[in-house]
Amino acid sequence: MRAQALGAGMLAQSQSAIAPFRLHRPTTLTQASALVAEYPEATIAAGCSDLVARIREGERIERLISLQRVDELREIDESDGTLRIGAAVSHHDGSTHRIVRTAIPGFAAAWSSIATVRIRYTGTIGGNVMAARTRYEMPLLLGALGAEYDYDATGRLLCHVRVNTAGLRWFGYERSMRPTATLALAVRAAPAGGIDVRAVAGSEYRPGYTLTAHAPGDDLRDLDPSALAATLAEQLPDECADHTGSADYRRHLVEVLTGRILRAAADDGVERTPTP
């Protein structure tokens, strides 16, 4: 494999061979965790789509722990109101999985919209999260859902993503204004009554900002999308501005995108389950 060197500008980019590295291919989660503990400096990868990008950006890999053969990290299940997704589940497999589509149809639909076809079959939910790139969309989706992450004892190996599905009434995602603005939004029944709204608004150049609001009543059809959208958008700090737009412009975009999702929730009344 060969990597392109950055900084070539208008000239042809140079080519350089990737230096040899040590490869470990565990087949169980226990083996993988032991290797991570033994080699704390090692690079961890599953689908390797982000790894290829990092190598092209100049990163040197000396030891790689591949998770591709660890079947435990590709499991998906739901029980007691918790959806659990293995960190090595690919975008394609996760978004088309029957359990995911039944548990949170809106999340499955949003998941199916991210990345290119090539990356969808190789990139994983865990890799998308652990890469910590603002242009990757999974952190926004999971952030709006209030997802929790299970790591191994070293704290370096992400094992599972857990999402509480109890009380979840609606989930929507708007990416029509990428790269300037993307927004994920979850609507839940509040424990003490009413409806809680949690949104994460980001862009390709800024981390996501968490926005929250509460609405009285229990019927989604009684939501006031315009008022809730304005409440959420005004929470964006001035630091949300970047070279694609001012803070006021991004607040306007978030208000528009939030309103779209909330109107869809109010019009539907209840999230529909897709046809298998």
Side-chain angles (χ1 to χ4, degrees):
M1 181 176 179
R2 306 185 75 83
Q4 291 184 326
L6 297 179
M10 296 297 291
L11 302 178
Q13 295 182 341
S14 63
Q15 302 283 326
S16 60
I18 295 175
F21 56 85
R22 301 285 294 183
L23 175 63
H24 300 274
R25 309 185 81 176
T27 58
T28 68
L29 186 53
T30 300
Q31 292 174 358
S33 184
L35 285 167
V36 173
E38 183 177 359
Y39 304 110
E41 79 288 353
T43 298
I44 306 169
C48 294
S49 56
D50 186 71
L51 178 64
V52 171
R54 283 152 48 195
I55 291 174
R56 286 176 173 167
E57 291 166 354
E59 181 172 333
R60 291 181 61 84
I61 306 299
E62 297 184 359
R63 187 181 299 270
L64 174 65
I65 300 174
S66 170
L67 304 177
Q68 291 181 338
R69 296 182 178 181
V70 183
D71 291 340
E72 296 161 85
L73 296 179
R74 289 195 295 273
E75 296 175 350
I76 298 176
D77 61 69
E78 185 193 21
S79 62
D80 300 324
T82 298
L83 173 65
R84 193 178 71 142
I85 304 172
V89 171
S90 72
H91 299 315
H92 170 76
D93 290 346
S95 63
T96 59
H97 199 283
R98 176 186 57 81
I99 292 178
V100 178
R101 296 177 69 223
T102 301
I104 317 177
F107 174 59
W111 197 355
S112 70
S113 70
I114 69 175
T116 64
V117 172
R118 178 183 64 81
I119 292 176
R120 291 188 50 72
Y121 280 85
T122 57
T124 64
I125 185 172
N128 203 272
V129 170
M130 296 300 288
R133 295 181 185 265
T134 56
R135 70 173 182 268
Y136 288 179
E137 300 172 69
M138 188 54 69
L140 268 69
L141 303 180
L142 296 176
L145 288 167
E148 297 181 335
Y149 303 103
D150 297 329
Y151 291 87
D152 75 335
T154 69
R156 292 191 62 225
L157 176 57
L158 177 61
C159 301
H160 304 94
V161 175
R162 288 182 291 111
V163 178
N164 177 18
T165 58
L168 184 62
R169 304 287 302 280
W170 180 268
F171 180 83
Y173 185 51
E174 260 290 349
R175 65 194 303 272
S176 59
M177 291 303 298
R178 291 187 79 227
T180 305
T182 46
L183 187 133
L185 184 148
V187 179
R188 292 182 182 272
I195 293 174
D196 286 333
V197 179
R198 178 186 176 94
V200 178
S203 76
E204 288 198 15
Y205 317 106
R206 288 284 188 275
Y209 294 93
T210 300
L211 319 170
T212 60
H214 179 80
D218 299 316
D219 194 329
L220 297 185
R221 291 169 294 185
D222 294 333
L223 290 175
D224 185 339
S226 297
L228 281 172
T231 297
L232 292 166
E234 69 183 7
Q235 296 173 31
L236 278 176
D238 290 341
E239 292 75 23
C240 72
D242 57 35
H243 66 276
T244 65
S246 66
D248 285 341
Y249 176 63
R250 295 203 58 214
R251 291 187 189 104
H252 170 70
L253 287 181
V254 167
E255 184 172 352
V256 170
L257 299 180
T258 303
R260 287 179 186 173
I261 297 175
L262 289 171
R263 276 188 287 275
D267 290 345
D268 215 21
V270 63
E271 190 173 59
R272 297 188 180 106
T273 300
T275 303

